Amino acid sequence: MEDNKDYERDEIFTKRVKAGKRTYFFDVKATRSNDYYLTITESKRKIKDDNFYYEKHKIFLYKEDFGKFVDALQEAVDHVKNDLMSDFDFSQFDSEPQTTETNSENNNKFGEDLKWD
């Protein structure tokens, strides 16, 4: 029987988005036949018995679904922004808070805005 060690593939590209107690990871991975897919992981920090642990939820997104997924996500976000909360100022969430120069240098690859275009 085949070992399940290969279930978690090495990331070819990763993007981390911090959001309070949650962190989202967007990881590009490859199959054995060099076909690419995306995993989206939500990691939430939880407390149990005075110890921290992380609860994770993962979505696997395959290349044939990229366009449909991005279109549906954009449509859902636009509906909230334009129809449900049109009077809310979402621009307050557009930029990352300023960090110290040392943190900025160490985490530069994680400070970029996430773009779906």
Side-chain angles (χ1 to χ4, degrees):
M1 184 167 212
E2 202 170 306
D3 195 353
N4 284 335
K5 287 182 188 175
D6 289 338
Y7 179 73
E8 289 294 324
R9 296 278 187 206
D10 290 335
E11 288 89 17
I12 295 169
F13 171 86
T14 190
K15 175 70 178 177
R16 180 177 69 172
V17 178
K18 290 184 177 184
K21 291 184 179 181
R22 293 167 296 182
T23 303
Y24 299 100
F25 297 91
F26 297 83
D27 299 313
V28 175
K29 299 183 180 189
T31 63
R32 287 188 187 114
S33 60
N34 283 331
D35 202 5
Y36 301 101
Y37 63 98
L38 177 68
T39 62
I40 303 170
T41 306
E42 175 199 35
S43 179
K44 287 190 214 177
R45 190 172 74 175
K46 301 269 189 160
I47 300 173
K48 183 178 181 182
D49 301 328
D50 294 330
N51 292 316
F52 289 107
Y53 72 97
Y54 292 90
E55 179 179 277
K56 295 182 180 182
H57 300 97
K58 190 173 282 203
I59 296 172
F60 289 80
L61 187 62
Y62 300 95
K63 68 179 183 297
E64 60 269 19
D65 301 322
F66 287 175
K68 291 181 266 184
F69 183 89
V70 170
D71 290 345
L73 177 62
Q74 189 64 60
E75 187 176 339
V77 168
D78 289 345
H79 179 70
V80 171
K81 285 183 168 183
N82 301 325
D83 299 333
L84 300 176
M85 299 182 74
S86 59
D87 58 342
F88 187 81
D89 180 17
F90 284 92
S91 66
Q92 63 184 316
F93 304 119
D94 288 346
S95 63
E96 292 288 321
Q98 294 297 320
T99 59
T100 64
E101 192 171 321
T102 305
N103 285 343
S104 181
E105 290 172 7
N106 292 339
N107 295 319
N108 190 30
K109 69 179 182 175
F110 299 121
E112 302 166 2
D113 289 336
L114 178 62
K115 303 281 189 217
W116 284 97
D117 295 338

